[in-house]
């Protein structure tokens, strides 16, 4: 069964991965019937498949359970952060990555933390185009006219 999951994941057949892991986890009594580290890896992989299928809530549930079963599985927090970013829960994603970096000092993880912080700052920035009431692809002249119009409205 594990080899089938690997080949399905290699072929990016995420629906098949979910079905195979559902069967594996279900026939063996769920995650409680498996060794914790193996169950955590199965749940993390199923979470990744759910994420690829855009079923982010199911992905998050699997990944959180995987982290609970094996707190030293680095794939789980990385996936959890990606899912949280997909759900636009930027601050939580940063916290998850910072917690991972606290025990796994890795340059790749460091840059993932920095990127998540950048994305969090980016989404909190004001959208100047919407403030001016113009489209994002507006010409320079349109932006300038909207700016002047807005300045005239705000002037005392």
């Amino acid at each position: 069964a594990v080899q089938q999951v690997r080949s399905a994941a290699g072929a990016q057949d995420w629906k098949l991965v979910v079905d195979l892991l559902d069967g594996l986890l279900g026939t063996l009594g769920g995650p409680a019937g498996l060794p914790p580290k193996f169950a955590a890896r199965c749940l993390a992989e199923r979470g990744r498949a759910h994420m690829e299928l855009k079923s982010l809530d199911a992905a998050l549930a699997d990944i959180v359970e995987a982290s609970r079963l094996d707190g030293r599985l680095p794939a789980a927090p990385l996936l959890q952060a990606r899912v949280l970013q997909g759900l636009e829960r930027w601050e939580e994603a940063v916290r998850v990555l910072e917690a991972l970096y606290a025990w796994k000092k890795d340059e790749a993880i460091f840059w993932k933390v920095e990127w998540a912080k950048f994305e969090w700052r980016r989404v909190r920035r004001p959208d100047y185009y919407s403030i001016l009431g113009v489209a994002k692809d507006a010409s320079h002249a349109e932006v300038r006219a909207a700016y002047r119009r807005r300045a005239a409205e705000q002037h005392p």
Side-chain angles (χ1 to χ4, degrees):
V2 173
Q3 188 57 37
Q4 289 176 316
V5 171
R6 284 188 182 141
S7 70
Q12 297 184 349
D13 187 352
W14 304 114
K15 179 68 177 131
L16 180 58
V17 170
V18 169
D19 292 341
L20 288 170
L21 287 170
D22 283 345
L24 180 66
L25 291 167
T27 58
L28 298 175
L34 297 172
K37 290 186 179 205
F38 180 70
R41 282 165 180 71
C42 288
L43 287 166
E45 190 61 29
R46 187 170 71 179
R48 182 167 75 105
H50 279 302
M51 181 183 68
E52 295 294 341
L53 292 170
K54 306 293 187 231
S55 179
L56 299 180
D57 291 326
L60 188 58
D62 279 347
I63 294 165
V64 166
E65 181 63 14
S67 291
R68 188 189 68 74
L69 289 173
D70 184 0
R72 296 303 241 180
L73 177 64
L78 289 172
L79 289 169
Q80 184 178 0
R82 284 181 56 195
V83 169
L84 288 169
Q85 289 171 338
L87 293 169
E88 297 184 4
R89 292 163 53 183
W90 305 99
E91 186 175 3
E92 289 176 68
V94 168
R95 280 198 308 265
V96 166
L97 289 171
E98 284 175 336
L100 172 62
Y101 185 70
W103 63 267
K104 186 169 173 43
K105 303 278 189 206
D106 183 305
E107 185 177 352
I109 294 171
F110 171 80
W111 288 112
K112 288 182 189 311
V113 171
E114 292 302 310
W115 182 256
K117 287 178 181 177
F118 169 78
E119 286 295 319
W120 183 27
R121 286 190 305 271
R122 183 187 61 80
V123 298
R124 291 188 326 206
R125 274 187 236 148
D127 181 9
Y128 297 112
Y129 292 102
S130 68
I131 291 171
L132 292 175
V134 296
K136 290 190 185 290
D137 60 348
S139 69
H140 179 71
E142 291 171 323
V143 171
R144 188 179 186 173
Y147 177 81
R148 289 186 175 171
R149 190 172 44 254
R150 188 88 166 129
E153 291 172 7
Q154 299 297 320
H155 194 274

